[in-house]
Amino acid sequence: CVCVCVSLGFSLCLLFLLLIFFSSPSSFFMAAKEPEKLDKPRVVVFTANSNTGLATVKYLASKYAGQVRIRAVVRSKKKSADLFKGLDVEVMEADIMQPSLLPAVFQNDVNAAYFATPNTQNRVELVKKFVDVCVEYGVDFPVLLTSLEADRKVTTVQKQMAEIEDYANLKKGTPVKRQLWDTGKQVLQPIILRSALFYQNFYGSVAGIQQGTLYYPLGEGSIPHVDIEDIGACIGNILMVPEPHAGKTYNLIGEYQAGNQIATSFTRVLANGVKYVDVDDETALEAFKALGFPEWQAISFVETLIYYREGGGQGIASDIKAITGADPKRFHQFVKDRIKPMI
């Protein structure tokens, strides 16, 4: 009798559970509830206090105000607090090499993120780690900044950037880990931006320009360079709608200029005339070190200038307008906006 009662009780209990499941299967699996869809896309900008990181955050906060949730990641909120005043962004502390801090950075279904390639000797390792983290946390579209003609692997910087690109492309197509209810169709699709040198590098030449002279080791050659704000605009637009850019590589160039053309840009905007004076590589190296460049970085920068001076990186079409819909800023406009107020 006891066995019959137990058996009957078990059967009734099982029937009750089955009725609940078929009438409302989602309520049966409350613990495995599908994550709520966000009303706005959420993007992550790693090293948001860097030059290109900050430019990206400012562009997103201005251009797409109210349309995107921006997560600005820095190593120290206290040191970076003033940078983000007045901007509608979520500032978070994290380090790509500290795994315990990363779950919070990528929570709530982030599918696009930018990692500003740092000016450190271990930058290849850091960017590779970022790519791996994107796979681990379900970021379909990692955006990476490298250098023009990285695949030629002539200069030290190109070799480093080529290693980054090769690693990202090796991981391309890898299924990324997503939420419980994901269909498994998401794969890593890195987006690579090959940048020219920055207009902002000429901040270091202001003292000479005030005296009417631009010293630079360009000989008769020319350099491709670009405004960091245009780079931020490109990254921002890609983060907002990454799908059309999936797996692509772009070149970001503002314009090409020879040394005398750069000096002429300063002359046009500033009241005083500025002449270009070519200097030898050793003098340039010592000047960059005097500006605070670590020796390895000063050597790499001079090496890059030699590469351009001798004809490398010439004649490359810029993709900035294709990404942003606007022409890149010209150097003389940068001088007017940024250098003139400093003099």
Side-chain angles (χ1 to χ4, degrees):
C1 183
V2 174
C3 292
V4 172
C5 289
V6 171
S7 177
L8 179 60
F10 177 77
S11 299
L12 290 173
C13 186
L14 179 60
L15 178 61
F16 178 70
L17 291 174
L18 288 172
L19 287 172
I20 292 177
F21 174 76
F22 284 111
S23 63
S24 182
S26 60
S27 62
F28 184 76
F29 286 114
M30 289 299 290
K33 184 179 179 181
E34 182 177 2
E36 293 182 7
K37 296 296 183 182
L38 297 175
D39 58 333
K40 303 172 187 176
R42 188 186 302 275
V43 300
V44 165
V45 178
F46 243 100
T47 324
N49 57 329
S50 66
N51 47 25
T52 58
L54 185 58
T56 301
V57 169
K58 287 183 175 180
Y59 179 83
L60 284 167
S62 173
K63 176 73 173 181
Y64 295 104
Q67 302 176 50
V68 61
R69 299 176 188 271
I70 308 164
R71 187 167 285 162
V73 184
V74 296
R75 297 181 69 178
S76 172
K77 290 174 66 173
K78 184 177 181 180
K79 293 180 180 179
S80 306
D82 291 342
L83 296 176
F84 306 105
K85 278 186 177 179
L87 301 179
D88 184 17
V89 301
E90 178 187 5
V91 183
M92 299 186 67
E93 283 188 0
D95 187 318
I96 199 69
M97 300 303 286
Q98 295 186 32
S100 63
L101 302 177
L102 299 177
V105 171
F106 294 102
Q107 68 181 356
N108 298 115
D109 204 20
V110 173
N111 80 325
Y114 170 62
F115 185 85
T117 304
N119 283 322
T120 58
Q121 288 181 287
N122 67 335
R123 55 187 169 193
V124 173
E125 176 190 2
L126 295 176
V127 180
K128 284 182 176 181
K129 179 63 176 176
F130 170 69
V131 172
D132 291 338
V133 165
C134 287
V135 174
E136 182 177 356
Y137 288 97
V139 181
D140 306 69
F141 306 103
V143 181
L144 311 174
L145 190 70
T146 65
S147 61
L148 293 181
E149 295 190 327
D151 54 327
R152 291 196 62 188
K153 305 178 183 180
V154 175
T155 68
T156 300
V157 171
Q158 285 177 332
K159 291 172 184 176
Q160 292 174 330
M161 298 305 169
E163 188 173 347
I164 289 171
E165 291 188 6
D166 290 345
Y167 189 78
N169 287 324
L170 180 66
K171 295 287 185 176
K172 184 187 296 185
T174 302
V176 299
K177 297 178 183 177
R178 301 284 287 193
Q179 303 294 332
L180 177 65
W181 295 87
D182 175 49
T183 60
K185 294 181 179 179
Q186 280 71 24
V187 296
L188 193 76
Q189 301 183 76
I191 301 162
I192 296 171
L193 305 178
R194 291 178 171 177
S195 173
L197 297 175
F198 302 154
Y199 290 165
Q200 282 77 1
N201 290 334
F202 284 96
Y203 286 151
S205 301
V206 167
I209 291 166
Q210 287 178 309
Q211 301 302 316
T213 306
L214 171 67
Y215 298 98
Y216 229 62
L218 284 181
E220 299 299 320
S222 64
I223 57 169
H225 53 173
V226 64
D227 193 339
I228 286 174
E229 291 184 6
D230 280 335
I231 294 175
C234 288
I235 297 166
N237 279 290
I238 289 171
L239 291 176
M240 279 298 296
V241 187
E243 289 81 4
H245 310 286
K248 294 183 179 180
T249 297
Y250 295 105
N251 295 307
L252 307 185
I253 303 168
E255 65 177 313
Y256 285 88
Q257 288 185 301
N260 60 349
Q261 293 174 317
I262 296 171
T264 298
S265 295
F266 285 118
T267 298
R268 287 176 55 190
V269 175
L270 307 176
N272 59 306
V274 177
K275 65 178 181 178
Y276 164 63
V277 175
D278 182 36
V279 297
D280 62 73
D281 298 332
E282 188 61 34
T283 299
L285 177 63
E286 294 305 315
F288 291 135
K289 287 163 62 176
L291 289 171
F293 283 52
E295 184 170 8
W296 69 269
Q297 191 176 2
I299 292 172
S300 293
F301 192 58
V302 171
E303 185 182 41
T304 298
L305 291 174
I306 293 171
Y307 175 77
Y308 291 133
R309 183 180 72 205
E310 295 181 351
Q314 303 299 306
I316 301 171
S318 177
D319 295 310
I320 290 176
K321 188 172 184 178
I323 298 171
T324 67
D327 290 320
K329 182 181 289 187
R330 307 290 285 184
F331 182 71
H332 76 271
Q333 187 63 48
F334 163 78
V335 174
K336 181 178 180 181
D337 294 342
R338 301 298 179 191
I339 300 291
K340 187 176 182 179
M342 300 171 64
I343 296 178

